[in-house]
Each structure stands twice: as C-alpha cells, then as structure tokens.
Amino acid sequence: MERIFINQTIKYIGEKVKVCGWVNSRRDHGKIIFIDLRDRSGLVQIVFTEELKSEIYKLSDKLRPEWVIEVVGTVEKRPEKMKNPKIETGGIEIKAEDLKIHSEAKTLPFSVESDGYEINEEKRLKYRYLDLRRQRLQKNLKIRQEVIYFMRTYLKEKDFVEVETPILTKSTPEGARDFLVPARLQPGKFYALPQSPQQYKQLLMVAGLERYFQIARCLRDEDARADRQAEHTQLDIEMSFVEQDDILNLTESLYIDICKKLFPEKRISEIPFPRMTYKEAMAKYKSDKPDLRKNKKDENELAFCFIIDFPMFEWHEGEKRWGASHHPFTKPKTDDTEKIKKTPEKIISYQHDFVLNGWEVGGGSIRTTDLNVLTAVFEVLGHSPKETKEQFKNYFEAFQYGVPPHGGIAPGIDRFLAIVLGEPNIREVISFPKTGDNRGLMMDVPSKIPEDQLKELHIKIIRDK
Ligand code: ASP
C-alpha cells in the first residue's frame, strides 16, 4: 500500500490508508489511545482501541513523542462534538488496524511545536535537524523554494540561460577575504572559493551567452558580524548589449511579479521603484540605503528603490588606500584614464544598488570592457599595470577576442526572504546557517584535520589556538 501525506487523508473517508510520520503527542484514555501523528503536511489523530489485535494495541501503548511510525487504518468522520476546527484534518480520525515502529526517539532538547524564537539559538543551531521540524522553519524553506523556482521560470521565459560556474576557482576582488582550498596535486598552490561568479559571468558574455543567471553561492571570509553568513545565495545575473536601465527594469519587474504572485498580502510603496543618485540619497536621507516606507510600523509594506551614480572609489582611512565602492570591474562614467588616476575621488560609476526597507538587497553595475580603463582603476587601487595584467590574464586575453558591452546585478536571496517573511535575521531562512563568527555548530566546523591529511596537502600548522 502506498503511503499518503496526512493532509490528503480527508479525501479518503471510509477508506483504508497508510500514513507515516512522527508521534506529535499521545493521550491515553484507559481503553483507548489517541496519537497525533505529524508529517510534513500536517497532523492527524489516530485511534488505537482495545478491539485491535492485542499485540498492536500493546505496541501502541509504548509510543512516545517523536517516535517514527507507520499506521494503516480506516479514515472515519469524527462525531460532530469531537471535531477539531484548529487542524486541517480535524473532521476525521484514523482508526488504526496496523502499526509499525520505524524508530524510537530520545526526549528532544527543546520543543518543536512553538515558533522557536524563545529557545537559545546556539542550541537550535546545534540541533538544527530538530529545529527544522518546526512548522515555521519548514514553511520558510518552502517559500524559499517558491521564490527561487519563480526566479528560474521567469528568467528562463525571458531567454536567460542558467549556467553553473566553478566553486574551486581563483580570487575575484569583491572586497572580502577569500576562503582558500589547498591543491593536493599542485603542492603549495591554492584554489579560492568564489566571492561571487563575477569573472565567470563576464566571460560567459565574451562566450556569447548574452543572458545568464545562476542561483549562486558566494563565499566571503568576512570578520564576525551578527547578521552575516560566510556563504550567501544570490540571484546572479549578467546581460549583454544592455544599458543600466535595462538591468534595473528587469529586476524591478521580476520583484513586482514575485511579490504579486507569492506575497499578495504585501504592498509595494511605489511603482516604478524610485531611482535616485547616491548624492541625492545622501543629501536627503543621509544613507545610501534609505528606508522609504511610508509607515515603518506596517509589516506588509515593501519599499524598493535603486541607488545609482555611486562614487567609483571609497577611501579606506585605516589602510590609507582607495578601494572600489562596488568592485573594480564596474565601469566608470569616464574613460579618461588620467582623470581616473589623478582625481579618483571625483569619478562616478555605473554601479547600482538595490534597496528594500533600508537594507541593501543587491548590487551590480555596467562593466568596464576597455582594458586601459581597467588598468587605470587597478592603479588607483594600488596595483601596477604589470600586476593587473598578471592577475587578470584571462580578462586581458578574453577581452581582445570581441567583448560585448555588458552588465549585471545580483540580488541576495537570504535578506529578501528575511524581510518579506518578517524574520528577525537571515538565519531563519537558511537551512543550516552558521553563527556570526562562522562556526557550524551542528557539524562542528571548522574542525581540526588529522596529521596525515595535512601532510598529504603539504601543510604545516604553525600556530594552533
Ligand atoms: N558580483 C557582484 C556581487 O556579488 C554583483 C555584480 O556586480 O553583479 O555583489
């Protein structure tokens, strides 16, 4: 007999069904035992009566919360006054005829019935596989899938091609440190995990893909910050033969549609999304990610906007050097290389940030395809032309074989979800998040590596905390 989901049982009144899941609770009324059985789809009441073959009744008497069982029984309508309007299957119950215990369970370290906010978070992360049993998190994961699925379908219909790019790669400067992976077969050399697929997506434009996207994992070794993750997921997009407005228009219509279809209870404050320059935003709101909600107490209001015309460079006072506001591949609004080098503070770029309710939820730019400009930008950042050519050999080579004008954007998925779902932080919308200081409490990572493995990698630990 094929197992059915619990929420389907209401369609089988009078019929025999098989359901599987976890014992949510049990009540013992002398000659009758009630079990609330839970699976992914909901709860249903199972009744074991003494009329059963005695060994099954005896077995049912052993059941405890979170045991995993399988029940075959007949779906029966509950008498009117026994109905439970609070659950979807509250009008029926299953009269058990057979019972199989798949596994027993220890007492859980915390309840999975509540929304879980009241439980110590480190504990929740340590037992994330249990934490994920709670309905709120299951719902968040399902909505996450809906959003990603929607993005995929939407972009595919607009002739975008989804392409996977390598995880073992070389550093691309996106403003954070790289996670490095030692290369066993090339002693002394390392791969870097991608801070984003930036270089690959641009090279896909040289390859003639024209419209690319990827649900991309980006890995950045940043200093501990409360609501950041070492790995985040973004909708990575790149397009050829476009202007900045084309990228913003696409993003805008995608997000309007996502909200309409998946979050109909939400209200977007202003359509089209306001677009303002960095200068305007700073003058008016003293922020480059202004919160444009009309009523900040309204949990259903979404205020999107785009900020454009950012300064190309920002001064890092601590290190006394220039950095790129977005990344060095962003196109400055001038191709005068002398001006770029002499007055970096005056250079405006084709960077665009995507902002929602005061949070930066994405960024992108039109890219530099003029190698002289790229070299000048890197000179401002402190790299000699020789170094730049060496470090970005692939660009210098590729861009000489016919490069289309191109640009892109990368809206983050975690932050967007946390905002629309009204979650207090991004960990609530990520399956297995890490702590703010990048520890994975469930897997106990990072972890030490056995001596032989290090030897194989030609690595010696010189300081061990
Ligand atoms: N690579 C950029 C980022 O991850 C996005 C972009 O420029 O498209 O922020």
Side-chain angles (χ1 to χ4, degrees):
M1 188 180 222
E2 203 183 324
R3 169 259 176 139
I4 60 167
F5 274 124
I6 279 172
N7 64 353
Q8 300 300 307
T9 51
I10 44 180
K11 296 190 204 145
Y12 290 84
I13 293 173
E15 289 178 56
K16 209 182 243 195
V17 296
K18 184 201 274 184
V19 287
C20 300
W22 286 257
V23 173
N24 202 61
S25 60
R26 68 168 255 152
R27 288 176 311 282
D28 194 339
H29 287 198
K31 293 187 173 129
I32 186 162
I33 293 170
F34 293 100
I35 294 291
D36 276 349
L37 186 68
R38 182 187 78 234
D39 73 4
R40 205 187 81 182
S41 70
L43 289 174
V44 71
Q45 175 163 288
I46 316 268
V47 192
F48 294 90
T49 55
E50 262 188 339
E51 305 151 25
L52 277 172
K53 276 188 266 153
S54 70
E55 79 262 31
I56 292 172
Y57 183 75
K58 259 195 230 142
L59 204 57
S60 73
D61 194 31
K62 286 171 55 183
L63 296 178
R64 291 294 175 271
E66 301 305 316
W67 286 26
V68 180
I69 61 171
E70 180 175 315
V71 176
V72 174
T74 304
V75 179
E76 291 184 351
K77 263 193 179 157
R78 290 199 213 178
E80 205 52 45
K81 58 179 192 313
M82 306 290 267
K83 285 191 175 158
N84 177 359
K86 287 196 208 117
I87 61 172
E88 208 184 330
T89 62
I92 59 124
E93 60 192 12
I94 297 176
K95 201 129 186 248
E97 286 155 36
D98 206 354
L99 166 67
K100 192 159 155 193
I101 296 177
H102 285 300
S103 74
E104 301 186 0
K106 294 205 295 190
T107 305
L108 265 44
F110 45 66
S111 155
V112 294
E113 276 187 83
S114 66
D115 59 22
Y117 295 119
E118 74 290 358
I119 301 165
N120 172 291
E121 203 189 3
E122 296 229 335
K123 207 165 184 185
R124 283 180 54 205
L125 294 182
K126 178 161 183 223
Y127 296 100
R128 186 61 157 183
Y129 48 89
L130 299 179
D131 197 33
L132 287 174
R133 283 188 189 170
R134 76 183 73 256
Q135 235 175 34
R136 175 175 64 91
L137 293 189
Q138 297 222 343
K139 187 182 121 232
N140 287 359
L141 290 186
K142 280 186 218 154
I143 294 177
R144 187 180 175 108
Q145 183 208 9
E146 295 290 327
V147 167
I148 290 174
Y149 188 81
F150 191 93
M151 289 169 165
R152 284 207 157 102
T153 318
Y154 186 93
L155 291 172
K156 183 170 177 289
E157 273 169 15
K158 292 209 165 0
D159 291 323
F160 280 76
V161 184
E162 183 172 11
V163 182
E164 289 165 89
T165 54
I167 290 291
L168 291 177
T169 178
K170 194 174 174 173
S171 163
T172 295
E174 299 261 2
R177 280 190 195 84
D178 294 314
F179 283 105
L180 299 174
V181 180
R184 183 179 58 85
L185 298 178
Q186 324 289 333
K189 294 193 174 168
F190 291 81
Y191 303 96
L193 302 180
Q195 291 189 32
S196 89
Q198 187 61 36
Q199 294 196 60
Y200 286 106
K201 67 172 171 174
Q202 290 194 243
L203 293 172
L204 285 171
M205 296 302 106
V206 177
L209 264 285
E210 298 203 24
R211 291 179 196 185
Y212 143 96
F213 83 96
Q214 177 177 195
I215 306 297
R217 200 65 74 78
C218 301
L219 299 117
R220 302 181 186 180
D221 188 1
E222 292 180 288
D223 289 335
R225 275 206 252 167
D227 197 15
R228 279 285 178 106
Q229 288 283 302
E231 39 189 314
H232 71 265
T233 309
Q234 64 189 26
L235 170 63
D236 202 46
I237 293 178
E238 197 74 8
M239 304 159 81
S240 292
F241 308 111
V242 288
E243 291 178 359
Q244 189 168 46
D245 273 345
D246 300 314
I247 300 169
L248 304 190
N249 292 345
L250 171 85
T251 310
E252 179 175 300
S253 59
L254 168 63
Y255 277 78
I256 291 174
D257 278 18
I258 289 177
C259 293
K260 265 198 208 146
K261 287 266 158 54
L262 301 179
F263 306 101
E265 70 285 5
K266 300 280 168 190
R267 239 176 330 92
I268 297 177
S269 317
E270 200 177 332
I271 294 177
F273 301 167
R275 296 176 191 189
M276 69 183 94
T277 65
Y278 172 83
K279 211 167 152 191
E280 281 164 4
M282 293 309 284
K284 218 164 154 187
Y285 305 100
K286 296 197 174 53
S287 167
D288 58 1
K289 29 182 181 298
D291 186 347
L292 301 182
R293 276 177 296 175
K294 299 197 169 85
N295 177 0
K296 298 203 174 57
K297 285 195 197 105
D298 176 357
E299 57 185 37
N300 283 328
E301 184 175 0
L302 297 177
F304 291 97
C305 68
F306 291 109
I307 311 294
I308 53 170
D309 290 356
F310 277 80
M312 177 75 203
F313 301 100
E314 58 190 16
W315 180 249
H316 294 192
E317 185 54 35
E319 301 139 58
K320 299 265 181 278
R321 63 167 184 89
W322 288 104
S325 303
H326 188 45
H327 52 59
F329 309 106
T330 300
K331 185 176 165 148
K333 287 205 155 175
T334 173
D335 55 10
D336 182 337
T337 53
E338 284 311 304
K339 213 160 143 190
I340 295 172
K341 288 189 276 185
K342 290 211 178 97
T343 55
E345 71 283 358
K346 293 207 177 117
I347 308 300
I348 301 295
S349 79
Y350 285 99
Q351 174 186 345
H352 37 254
D353 271 10
F354 186 33
V355 173
L356 169 59
N357 292 4
W359 292 90
E360 183 196 324
V361 288
S365 59
I366 296 290
R367 324 299 185 187
T368 300
T369 49
D370 178 331
L371 293 170
N372 293 324
V373 170
L374 188 67
T375 311
V377 166
F378 272 105
E379 265 192 87
V380 175
L381 301 178
H383 304 277
S384 70
K386 198 167 155 257
E387 272 169 28
T388 305
K389 232 184 180 145
E390 189 47 40
Q391 174 79 3
F392 298 103
K393 263 204 300 247
N394 49 351
Y395 265 52
F396 279 81
E397 175 96 59
F399 280 21
Q400 293 171 43
Y401 292 115
V403 54
H406 61 280
I409 192 164
I413 289 175
D414 310 305
R415 172 71 55 203
F416 171 71
L417 281 167
I419 296 172
V420 283
L421 293 172
E423 289 290 6
N425 64 65
I426 58 174
R427 296 183 295 283
E428 304 293 346
V429 298
I430 296 174
S431 56
F432 297 102
K434 296 196 173 52
T435 59
D437 57 354
N438 295 348
R439 284 169 306 131
L441 301 180
M442 188 188 77
M443 294 297 227
D444 201 13
V445 286
S447 61
K448 291 200 174 166
I449 298 293
E451 204 48 51
D452 348 338
Q453 219 176 341
L454 284 173
K455 215 162 166 188
E456 215 174 37
L457 295 170
H458 320 281
I459 287 185
K460 218 185 202 121
I461 304 289
I462 52 172
R463 195 181 68 129
D464 195 348
K465 216 164 101 185

